[in-house]
Amino acid sequence: MLTKTKLYLSSPHMGGTEHAYVTDAFNTNWIAPLGPHVDGFEKAIETYLDAESHVAVLSSGTAAIHLALQLVGVGPGDDVLCQSFTFSASANPILYQGANPIFIDSEPDTWNMSPELLETAIKDRIKHHNKPKAIIAVHLYGMPYKAREINAIAKSYDIPVIEDSAEALGSTYFGQKCGTLADLGILSFNGNKIITTSGGGALITKDIAFKKRAIFLSTQSRDDAPHYEHSVVGYNYRMSNVLAGIGRGQMEVLDERVRARRANYHFYKTQLSSFKSIQFLEEPQGFFANRWLTCVIFDSYEQRETVRLALLADDIESRPLWKPMHLQPVFSKTASYTNGVSEHLFNHGLCLPSGSNLTQHDLDRVLQIIVNTLTS
């Protein structure tokens, strides 16, 4: 009896040249968290973003958010407005700084931060508490958030925006690359992202002084002295030369990975469009999503769970949409401004297998189970 191959939600997909870069790091003994591949990876990202951006590659996207919060001056007791419908890594660094996360619900067009609720929250915090120190907005599942509206609101209240593009490398907003739309941007190269360095992230800024400060903080804040001198607390957040070598190879195939992910979305949408009980997240005009994960919304929680469990029984990984931060136990005492959108999406939504290395046979296998489940 043949054993079926497990299908993952989003597995790493090497392009072929990564091995040569890593071998070079070993052959030249550049194994430490510095070296030519770090510089090369940063340059490749800067060239791709093409927006006068400066990039510092780090150990994770979470580290990038943490440093971004420090760069904009967030400290103990400050309020930070954060998208609720996201992964916890968007919010956890706020707590690292001793600050207060204030969660903002989503709008239905992109599933991202609601500009209307954002402004409501800002006005309310200014009136009754403190003026928020920063905003963290997220391009969820690779779909850009409404940057024009959010940036306009942020500018009117003079609040910096940190753009969480962990899931959105390769996405664009009216022709501009995600990661370059706000005061600071962050990327993730975790193993499930559209490209990966196994673990890693990046901070994006148009201010070279911010990049230099981020590198300083990420290398234990070593002062310029012949001995180890430290005037401020630092972190061990810099990416290694070995992992940066993987990243250089991955950047060479990024556009191919975006095309493959978008093809997956198109396949699912075309093949499942006859089922009125399923909805897909569409791209508003001017938005281009990398479709990191293809997500569907079912009419009911029960239907979502029936499909998820049927896929699981065939060793196929799928996953409910993110559980909103304002519903998470760890943030149960945190203030939030909600409208029910993210809670509905969490209860009805499912992420389907979306890796760029899925074969047509893999996609057909997923499709057949969904169709059989919905028609049984």
Side-chain angles (χ1 to χ4, degrees):
M1 181 178 178
L2 292 176
T3 301
K4 290 185 177 179
T5 303
K6 181 178 177 66
L7 297 185
Y8 292 94
L9 189 68
S10 179
S11 63
H13 188 186
M14 295 294 100
T17 61
E18 296 89 352
H19 188 269
Y21 286 113
V22 172
T23 299
D24 176 75
F26 276 83
N27 289 343
T28 57
N29 204 33
W30 280 107
I31 307 300
L34 52 87
H37 292 325
V38 172
D39 297 335
F41 188 27
E42 289 177 342
K43 181 63 177 177
I45 299 169
E46 290 168 353
T47 300
Y48 181 82
L49 295 176
D50 192 29
E52 299 181 356
S53 296
H54 304 286
V55 173
V57 291
L58 304 166
S59 58
S60 67
T62 310
I65 294 176
H66 188 196
L67 294 184
L69 290 169
Q70 294 199 28
L71 291 173
V72 299
V74 171
D78 288 334
D79 285 352
V80 177
L81 304 173
C82 181
Q83 187 163 310
S84 181
F85 196 38
T86 185
F87 180 51
S88 63
S90 301
N92 286 338
I94 301 171
L95 298 182
Y96 301 168
Q97 286 300 99
N100 309 311
I102 310 297
F103 293 118
I104 311 298
D105 215 327
S106 298
E107 43 78 18
D109 296 338
T110 70
W111 303 353
N112 293 313
M113 181 180 283
S114 164
E116 180 180 340
L117 281 181
L118 172 64
E119 186 156 31
T120 297
I122 293 172
K123 289 179 178 178
D124 184 62
R125 303 310 291 185
I126 290 174
K127 183 177 180 180
H128 297 106
H129 304 277
N130 300 313
K131 177 184 172 183
K133 201 65 175 286
I135 297 166
I136 299 176
V138 185
H139 302 299
L140 204 68
Y141 301 117
M143 178 63 71
Y145 61 75
K146 294 183 175 179
R148 289 178 179 174
E149 292 91 330
I150 288 176
N151 285 346
I153 293 168
K155 184 177 181 180
S156 67
Y157 293 94
D158 192 28
I159 302 173
V161 177
I162 296 170
E163 178 188 357
D164 185 343
S165 293
E167 303 170 6
L169 182 58
S171 299
T172 63
Y173 176 81
F174 291 93
Q176 186 173 345
K177 297 284 176 60
C178 288
T180 68
L181 302 171
D183 299 278
L184 289 162
I186 75 100
L187 299 172
S188 171
F189 307 116
N190 190 36
N192 63 357
K193 295 301 188 292
I194 196 159
I195 64 168
T196 184
T197 55
S198 86
L203 179 76
I204 305 164
T205 174
K206 292 181 174 61
D207 187 343
I208 188 63
F210 270 179
K211 174 178 176 174
K212 291 179 179 178
R213 183 65 176 175
I215 292 174
F216 171 74
L217 291 170
S218 69
T219 52
Q220 302 289 17
S221 299
R222 291 169 55 186
D223 293 337
D224 186 13
H227 56 277
Y228 286 99
E229 184 86 4
H230 306 274
S231 302
V232 298
V233 173
Y235 308 92
N236 186 17
Y237 279 172
R238 198 70 163 124
M239 180 179 285
S240 79
N241 193 59
V242 175
L243 298 190
I246 300 174
R248 294 185 73 179
Q250 288 278 278
M251 284 299 296
E252 294 173 4
V253 295
L254 174 57
D255 289 338
E256 295 176 26
R257 301 298 181 255
V258 173
R259 285 193 292 270
R261 301 264 178 166
R262 287 178 61 84
N264 291 340
Y265 170 87
H266 180 74
F267 171 81
Y268 286 128
K269 187 172 186 297
T270 300
Q271 298 300 318
L272 294 171
S273 60
S274 61
F275 291 93
K276 303 308 178 186
S277 61
I278 296 180
Q279 297 177 8
F280 287 79
L281 178 60
E282 305 280 0
E283 290 169 326
Q285 185 175 359
F287 290 59
F288 178 88
N290 65 11
R291 300 296 184 184
W292 171 57
L293 295 182
T294 294
C295 306
V296 293
I297 303 299
F298 293 93
D299 277 351
S300 68
Y301 168 82
E302 291 75 18
Q303 188 180 60
R304 195 279 304 277
E305 281 298 279
T306 300
V307 171
R308 184 184 68 83
L309 293 173
L311 291 169
L312 182 62
D314 203 64
D315 212 12
I316 298 173
E317 183 182 23
S318 64
R319 187 175 299 161
L321 302 190
W322 298 123
K323 183 175 183 179
M325 292 299 101
H326 71 270
L327 298 178
Q328 297 284 357
V330 68
F331 295 117
S332 60
K333 297 181 180 179
T334 300
S336 60
Y337 296 79
T338 63
N339 55 13
V341 170
S342 62
E343 186 171 356
H344 173 82
L345 292 169
F346 166 61
N347 286 326
H348 293 251
L350 189 69
C351 303
L352 301 178
S354 303
S356 52
N357 50 5
L358 290 173
T359 66
Q360 187 59 54
H361 175 75
D362 295 334
L363 291 168
D364 289 337
R365 179 178 156 198
V366 175
L367 175 67
Q368 194 59 57
I369 292 173
I370 296 174
V371 170
N372 289 346
T373 304
L374 294 177
T375 55
S376 61

